[in-house]
């Protein structure tokens, strides 16, 4: 049941916010639904206390930045890992500048 909860909650959010889309605009309503759905998924992941289910844990895994667990061998940092990390840094930097400059970057 806990795995299907985000999908049920997402459907409920979509139905609840769909009526607002005419007053707010379709894109505004879609972003509200997306943010609420993300919040439901993330809170569910945090509360179930399993490894590898939050956004942070996925990003750490995808970009090779997760910490080593005791007794686990050291992870090899390859050129591919550095490329992924650089791509993440470049994207986050661009996004911050994009928001802070009002779209000039």
């Amino acid at each position: 049941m806990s795995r299907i909860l985000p999908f049920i909650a997402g459907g409920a959010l979509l139905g609840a916010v769909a009526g607002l889309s005419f007053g707010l605009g379709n894109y505004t309503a879609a972003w509200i639904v997306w943010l609420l759905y993300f919040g439901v998924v993330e809170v569910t992941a945090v509360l179930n206390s399993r490894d590898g289910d939050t956004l942070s844990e996925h990003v750490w895994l995808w970009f090779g930045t997760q910490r080593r667990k005791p007794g686990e061998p050291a992870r090899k940092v390859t050129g591919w890992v550095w490329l992924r990390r650089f791509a993440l840094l470049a994207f986050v930097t661009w996004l911050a500048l994009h928001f802070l400059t009002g779209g000039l970057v």
Side-chain angles (χ1 to χ4, degrees), residues 79-93:
W80 175 240
V81 171
W82 282 112
L83 180 64
R84 291 188 318 226
R85 289 178 183 179
F86 176 76
L88 176 64
L89 178 63
F91 173 72
V92 170
T93 302

Side-chain angles (χ1 to χ4, degrees), residues 3-57:
R3 292 223 179 253
I4 198 148
L5 181 63
F7 298 106
I8 294 170
L13 289 173
L14 181 60
V17 177
L20 299 175
S21 66
F22 297 108
L24 296 175
N26 291 336
Y27 282 104
T28 302
W31 281 113
I32 289 171
V33 170
W34 186 88
L35 288 169
L36 290 172
Y37 182 71
F38 171 79
V40 168
V41 171
E42 189 69 10
V43 167
T44 303
V46 168
L47 294 178
N48 73 17
S49 301
R50 287 193 296 238
D51 286 339
D53 52 2
T54 64
L55 177 62
S56 297
E57 291 168 333

Side-chain angles (χ1 to χ4, degrees), residues 61-82:
L61 178 66
W62 295 334
F63 295 97
T65 59
Q66 74 270 28
R67 291 194 179 134
R68 206 170 46 87
K69 294 179 182 165
E72 192 176 274
R75 292 182 176 93
K76 186 175 181 178
V77 179
T78 64
W80 175 240
V81 171
W82 282 112

